[in-house]
Amino acid sequence: MSFHGIIPPVVTLFDEAGNLDLELNRRYLDKLISQNIHGILLMGSSGEFSSLSIEERKLYVREMIKHIHGRVKVMVGVGHTALKEVLELTSYAEEQGADGVLVVSPYYWKLSDDQLYRFYSTVANHTELPVFIYNIPQLTGQNLPVELIVKLAKDYPNISGIKETVGDFGHIRQIITEVKKVRPDFLVFSAFDEHMLPALMIGAAGSINGSAVFAPEVSVDLYESYQRGDLAEARTNHQQISRLMDVYTYCPTFFTTMKEAVHQRWFETAAGHRVPFDVYPADLRENVRSLLKTIETKEGVQL
């Protein structure tokens, strides 16, 4: 079965010295999988890939794929400013058994549409894995045009889908409408939590959303209730998820907030951070504590 449903873009957990804590990350992934998620994204933006060296990224990906051991599908973020590194990370993910790669468009320089096409076609030609385009203009500085996505999807069968981290819901709608004319099997995933339900209603495959990192049961319940036609339950979950959007407002680096929420929910240790992300608002922990209290306790889940 292809990627679908709720795919948390997991945070990467460090010890108090800022080193990768592999065992804590294993325990964290087990917590998520126990809540019936449909897949996992390693090394996305929330996974803080930009804070890790290439060797650290390889170590983490290798150990986490080994630990997941096929229980859910695994997508691996391979973003980098250098195409050579993107290709190396893509090959490594494929060797380790990943089910797909998520490829953010190059950041720092603004690229032309022809340059973006060249970039993504090079990645697609380099691997047999499903390639997912990552559109996040907030961090890359440019929104990927619908026409570009249509051309890539039409020309490369293994460009399998897109993660749409955009504020403009109309762009998600256009992607779904236009790309599916040429590729009915193209998978569109929303990202911002409040987009999940409306995106599902117009044909999205699922969501790779921030609140699923620390409250996966809410997103899973929304997705599953929508799939079985229980719109009342889906609406209730949508309202709850919309309240969780505050997670993006507490700190400019939203993964810092998500990491704090993960630790408060499931672990007794303090969240570890790397410089300069060890500096954050003084009220972050209290804001997260208050946010977690807004989640209604699901059956078998204690906050």
Side-chain angles (χ1 to χ4, degrees):
M1 182 179 289
S2 60
F3 282 98
H4 69 284
I6 304 305
I7 304 174
V10 299
V11 292
T12 304
L13 304 181
F14 302 135
D15 62 23
E16 293 187 11
N19 300 310
L20 276 174
D21 190 331
L22 294 175
E23 184 53 36
L24 190 62
N25 279 286
R26 294 183 186 102
R27 291 169 55 199
Y28 167 47
L29 297 189
D30 287 343
K31 293 282 188 183
L32 292 173
I33 293 171
S34 73
Q35 296 301 316
N36 300 314
I37 58 172
H38 305 92
I40 283 175
L41 168 61
L42 305 174
M43 292 283 102
S45 298
S46 301
E48 213 171 336
F49 73 85
S50 57
S51 298
L52 277 68
S53 69
I54 293 293
E55 291 310 311
E56 286 177 317
R57 291 172 69 172
K58 288 181 176 180
L59 170 64
Y60 172 82
V61 165
R62 179 177 70 246
E63 293 303 315
M64 294 309 108
I65 290 178
K66 186 188 305 180
H67 182 70
I68 293 167
H69 196 59
R71 288 179 287 171
V72 294
K73 282 189 170 293
V74 179
M75 188 183 298
V76 175
V78 294
H80 202 283
T81 52
L83 178 56
K84 181 179 179 181
E85 304 287 12
V86 174
L87 299 179
E88 180 179 337
L89 289 166
T90 298
S91 293
Y92 193 78
E94 188 166 7
E95 291 166 7
Q96 298 306 311
D99 300 293
V101 289
L102 181 71
V103 188
V104 69
S105 57
Y107 41 97
Y108 191 77
W109 287 105
K110 184 174 182 179
L111 277 63
S112 69
D113 290 357
D114 288 342
Q115 289 171 329
L116 287 165
Y117 181 89
R118 175 72 164 145
F119 171 80
Y120 277 109
S121 62
T122 301
V123 177
N125 282 325
H126 182 75
T127 183
E128 295 184 4
L129 284 177
V131 173
F132 290 84
I133 296 167
Y134 185 9
N135 186 25
I136 182 166
Q138 175 186 354
L139 299 182
T140 62
Q142 63 184 128
N143 197 8
L144 300 179
V146 174
E147 297 77 14
L148 172 67
I149 307 305
V150 169
K151 182 171 174 54
L152 285 166
K154 184 177 180 180
D155 293 349
Y156 293 93
N158 67 323
I159 295 184
S160 301
I162 188 170
K163 179 183 184 226
E164 278 275 87
T165 310
V166 296
D168 178 13
F169 186 78
H171 195 270
I172 300 174
R173 173 182 52 78
Q174 287 181 293
I175 292 289
I176 292 173
T177 302
E178 297 304 318
V179 180
K180 284 187 177 290
K181 290 178 182 177
V182 299
R183 279 281 303 280
D185 63 335
F186 193 79
L187 303 172
V188 178
F189 289 89
S190 61
F192 287 127
D193 308 72
E194 62 191 357
H195 288 163
M196 186 191 311
L197 182 56
L200 288 173
M201 296 181 80
I202 61 171
S207 184
I208 305 175
N209 58 302
S211 69
V213 164
F214 60 89
E217 70 277 13
V218 184
S219 294
V220 170
D221 196 23
L222 188 159
Y223 177 81
E224 297 292 356
S225 57
Y226 178 76
Q227 294 302 313
R228 65 174 180 268
D230 188 347
L231 296 184
E233 179 68 11
R235 181 181 62 186
T236 298
N237 282 289
H238 174 69
Q239 292 168 342
Q240 192 168 34
I241 280 177
S242 295
R243 291 194 293 271
L244 294 178
M245 286 289 292
D246 283 348
V247 74
Y248 300 104
T249 67
Y250 298 150
C251 184
T253 51
F254 52 78
F255 59 79
T256 306
T257 308
M258 294 175 184
K259 192 177 295 189
E260 179 64 29
V262 166
H263 276 264
Q264 286 196 24
R265 278 206 74 180
W266 291 316
F267 305 114
E268 296 180 356
T269 57
H273 303 282
R274 288 189 166 177
V275 177
F277 307 115
D278 55 345
V279 177
Y280 46 82
D283 59 356
L284 177 67
R285 289 176 178 169
E286 184 54 41
N287 283 336
V288 168
R289 189 172 293 110
S290 297
L291 183 70
L292 291 177
K293 288 179 181 177
T294 69
I295 306 173
E296 294 176 4
T297 303
K298 298 291 181 180
E299 183 179 359
V301 179
Q302 297 295 324
L303 296 180

